Amino acid sequence: MLATSAALKSILRREATRSGIRAMANLAAYEDFGKNVFTGKVADEYLKKHGASGEILKDPAWTVNHADTVANAVFDWAIDRGANVYCHWFQPMAASGVRHGLTGQVHNMMLEFDSNMEVKQDFKGKTLIKGETDGSSYPNGGLRATHRAGGYLAVDTSSPIFCRGDTIFIPSAFVSYYGAALDEKTPLLRANAAIDREGSRLFSLLGIDTSKGIQTNIGLEQEIFLIPREHYYRRPDLQLTGRTIIGKDAPRGQEMCDHYMAPLSSATAALACMQEIQDECWRLGIPLKTRHREVAPNQFEFAPLFGTNTTQIDQNVMVMQIIEETAAKHGLAALLQEKPFNNINGSGKHNNWSIATRSGVMAFDPESVLKASGNEHAFPVIMAAVVAAVDEHGDLMRSAIASPGNDF
């Protein structure tokens, strides 16, 4: 008996490749992976129909010079993917651990009726690149009075548009009328701009070409607990806070380390759940590469290939939402809180952070730096600058990282 549709798809893919002896692997069964993200080859195909190419998306100035062209291409792609709704997708300040999905969004139809009651396109360049919504009810730290309630959205060109179900998601920054950040992304974009500006100055002096700029990369691992949903509903503390607050400790811990990287058994729903999570993520262009058991009982981990920090964070936010929704379909509850159970390991989200030039020079790789600069002192100088920055601004980093769940 097949556990899930994901398992069925996996078997069908294997059968599709069996045609006697073959010289090369047949990846045709995976051709829909990545089709739900508007970037690369997918974007290029639709932009060419409107006299452009995917190259224009590499320059953020497309929001000024090619907004209508991109909007028309996105509209065609959306209709082909079965979508007719769009939203500006943002991450409100202090949403962590509070709301499902950690994001804010208002869904709007991409269509309207004309005077003859015939359906026509209602998605233009100005619709794509900006939006406005009620920002009065979001935490604001006293940045504005309630009667100045406007919240303004601008597309984040560093993170690709993607499609899930009938909806197109446009990653966006969320600010007040005067530019005060109302979200988690705007400070990150400003920090990226600062690293690009100041890092380019240093790298250039060390002999490294920074004509294409500097970016920060991360690989966000995601650890979770998957527990039977029937037991989850017996624990109000788990339902309301994501962690146990009362009662006895777990009867079994991790003393023998027998769970860590052990086989993913089909005896429970966990494997089928993880298969389906990976399958949906790859369709969204999220390279969720690794899955395995973690140290604590019923603890698991996913890990993606690394990428630019804005894209990785957006993808990780969607991964967490997919994990929670898919777990419920399999009779499980996914716990994403940092320390759900007392006296056993908590769930980390290891942030594998690095700096690189956009031409591919990895700043934390001595050989890469030496080859690009021809300067044996370049790598020690870069590392000294990073260590000095962490030492001098540790308090600022601490305040930015801290959250109630992380500090408990």
Side-chain angles (χ1 to χ4, degrees), residues 43-98:
D44 188 63
E45 176 187 348
Y46 285 91
L47 284 165
K48 283 181 175 176
K49 296 177 181 178
H50 295 275
S53 74
E55 289 296 312
I56 65 173
L57 296 180
K58 297 179 181 179
D59 181 359
W62 69 257
T63 57
V64 177
N65 303 322
H66 305 287
D68 286 331
T69 300
V70 175
N72 289 332
V74 168
F75 179 82
D76 290 349
W77 166 71
I79 297 302
D80 285 350
R81 303 309 298 170
N84 56 19
V85 173
Y86 74 93
C87 70
H88 288 96
W89 186 66
F90 59 101
Q91 298 160 29
M93 191 188 305
S96 178
V98 178

Side-chain angles (χ1 to χ4, degrees), residues 4-26:
T4 64
S5 59
L8 174 60
K9 291 169 188 170
S10 179
I11 291 174
L12 291 175
R13 288 184 186 122
R14 288 200 299 270
E15 293 299 325
T17 61
R18 291 175 181 169
S19 56
I21 299 174
R22 52 183 170 78
M24 298 180 66
N26 183 359

